[in-house]
Amino acid sequence: GTRPISAVLCEMTNGGVDYSLECVGNVGVMRSALESCVKGWGVSVLVGWTDMYDVATRPIQLIAGRTWKGSLFGGFKSKDGVPQMVKAYLDKKVKLDEFITHNMALAQVNDAIELMKHGKCIRTVLSVSPQ
């Protein structure tokens, strides 16, 4: 029969991975990503987004020392994180320009949201034209 991906990864890595990333917003994959982590210190980061379903796992997965972590805003806290992020960008330590796939006017905000919902952009910059 078919074995779960977490079992395959745990076998390949002699106990599980140190870090896993779930990037598609699928709650089944989120669970598999957590269960692929090594007991004791494995960290699974949720990058993909959904609000359609609940995510669930057996408590032993977390009790065993794995961590489930979110990634919104790159882990930055907005109040002190934004100035740090701006400085890192200005110092060329964080790449942002490379991820801009679309430039649109503010009036096209709904089109930009549709692009994002369908995975047809990475980041869109909305501009307000001077009146």
Side-chain angles (χ1 to χ4, degrees):
T2 310
R3 293 181 0 178
I5 186 66
S6 56
V8 174
L9 288 171
C10 287
E11 186 179 293
M12 285 174 58
T13 57
N14 204 11
V17 297
D18 291 332
Y19 297 94
S20 67
L21 299 157
E22 190 287 336
C23 301
V24 294
N26 178 306
V27 295
V29 177
M30 290 173 187
R31 179 176 179 160
S32 291
L34 177 71
E35 294 174 357
S36 299
C37 287
V38 68
K39 291 177 186 171
W41 63 83
V43 176
S44 187
V45 182
L46 303 182
V47 179
W49 183 89
T50 183
D51 68 353
M52 292 173 58
Y53 307 100
D54 290 345
V55 65
T57 194
R58 292 197 170 113
I60 190 64
Q61 296 296 332
L62 298 167
I63 292 167
R66 295 175 181 92
T67 303
W68 236 342
K69 226 175 144 46
S71 61
L72 191 65
F73 208 40
F76 278 89
K77 303 294 177 255
S78 58
K79 193 170 185 178
D80 56 352
V82 172
Q84 292 172 20
M85 188 184 286
V86 170
K87 182 175 183 343
Y89 169 72
L90 292 173
D91 292 346
K92 308 246 184 278
K93 290 180 180 167
V94 171
K95 293 183 176 186
L96 296 178
D97 299 328
E98 292 82 352
F99 296 99
I100 298 170
T101 53
H102 294 75
N103 287 283
M104 302 172 110
L106 184 58
Q108 295 173 285
V109 66
N110 291 332
D111 297 330
I113 291 170
E114 286 303 309
L115 284 172
M116 182 181 65
K117 281 183 181 175
H118 294 98
K120 294 184 176 175
C121 71
I122 298 176
R123 282 292 176 261
T124 298
V125 172
L126 295 174
S127 303
V128 181
S129 342
Q131 300 298 342

